Amino acid sequence: MENTLAFTKLKTRTTLLTVALLAAGCADATRPEAVFMGTLNVVVADDGVGARGSFEGRLSADFRVSISRDGSDWVHLGVPTQVDLQLQDAGGALFLHPPIDVPAGTYPYLRIVGGWGLARIEGGAEVGGRSFPDPVHLRVGEERLAIETRLPTAIFVAPGGHMTLRVDLNSEAWVSPENLEAGRVPAADVETALTGRAHERLPALVVPPPNRQA
């Protein structure tokens, strides 16, 4: 009888413990940011769609991209990474860093921070109705590049999903006659031009970033 009673008590305690653990698991499941993650790729591009004028060039810079739900708390997408990007490359894109896991949710805000970049515009450029026969070097940003913007369409990262953020620098908007003459591009010009779009699939042409980090 004593053995039977002891076994019954042990079984009851085990059942209660199991129920408690299940309840705790359900409680955690009500907080997606704690238990649900999605994967986000980030690629940088400059497609030149709708460009006014014609020019070729490259941009060397280091970028760190962050996203935010409220514009205050930021999720950093990797470490600052040096990139060497061809400008006006329709359809091309450059991986900024390996895919990263982020809390699932909707992110309307985008931030890019880095050191100032250097763009080389090849000779023979036709910009704003003016010709620039010689190569021009443009300093992009001041002491550092700091861009923060609200995206026209927020990024949604689904639990267990895979999403790609494509950041387009839109150099056709900031490679202007005025900036070419001055030899520099204010960060505000890049901030105004920059766009970001989410894609469920990677763009067709994506190359890996250089094997170096800032």
Side-chain angles (χ1 to χ4, degrees), residues 53-56 121-127 130-136:
S54 173
F55 63 89
E56 296 181 358
I121 308 303
E122 300 298 338
E126 298 285 340
V127 180
R130 297 178 56 183
S131 298
F132 293 85
D134 299 321
V136 179

Side-chain angles (χ1 to χ4, degrees), residues 1-177:
M1 177 64 90
E2 290 181 358
N3 291 339
T4 301
L5 183 60
F7 176 79
T8 301
K9 290 181 178 179
L10 178 61
K11 183 177 180 181
T12 300
R13 291 174 181 171
T14 302
T15 301
L16 290 174
L17 178 60
T18 301
V19 171
L21 290 174
L22 289 173
C26 291
D28 285 342
T30 63
R31 297 185 295 112
E33 69 274 12
V35 296
F36 291 133
M37 305 290 285
T39 301
L40 186 63
N41 296 298
V42 180
V43 298
V44 179
D46 186 67
D47 58 23
V49 175
R52 296 180 179 178
S54 173
F55 63 89
E56 296 181 358
R58 302 192 72 85
L59 172 67
S60 298
D62 66 86
F63 293 124
R64 182 177 188 176
V65 176
S66 305
I67 54 176
S68 174
R69 296 175 178 177
D70 55 11
S72 298
D73 297 322
W74 295 89
V75 178
H76 302 303
L77 307 178
V79 299
T81 304
Q82 292 180 342
V83 298
D84 182 25
L85 180 69
Q86 181 178 341
L87 302 178
Q88 302 292 284
D89 183 16
L94 178 73
F95 263 120
L96 190 60
H97 54 69
I100 188 170
D101 290 337
V102 300
T106 300
Y107 297 89
Y109 296 93
L110 173 68
R111 174 190 282 171
I112 296 179
V113 176
W116 56 269
L118 183 64
R120 174 186 167 91
I121 308 303
E122 300 298 338
E126 298 285 340
V127 180
R130 297 178 56 183
S131 298
F132 293 85
D134 299 321
V136 179
H137 290 89
L138 288 172
R139 178 168 172 156
V140 182
E142 287 74 41
E143 293 302 321
R144 63 196 298 266
L145 187 65
I147 297 170
E148 188 173 310
T149 185
R150 180 166 185 145
L151 299 170
T153 303
I155 305 164
F156 174 67
V157 181
H162 299 271
M163 187 64 66
T164 297
L165 169 61
R166 189 176 192 271
V167 178
D168 192 339
L169 299 180
N170 293 313
S171 66
E172 64 273 11
W174 46 264
V175 176
S176 64

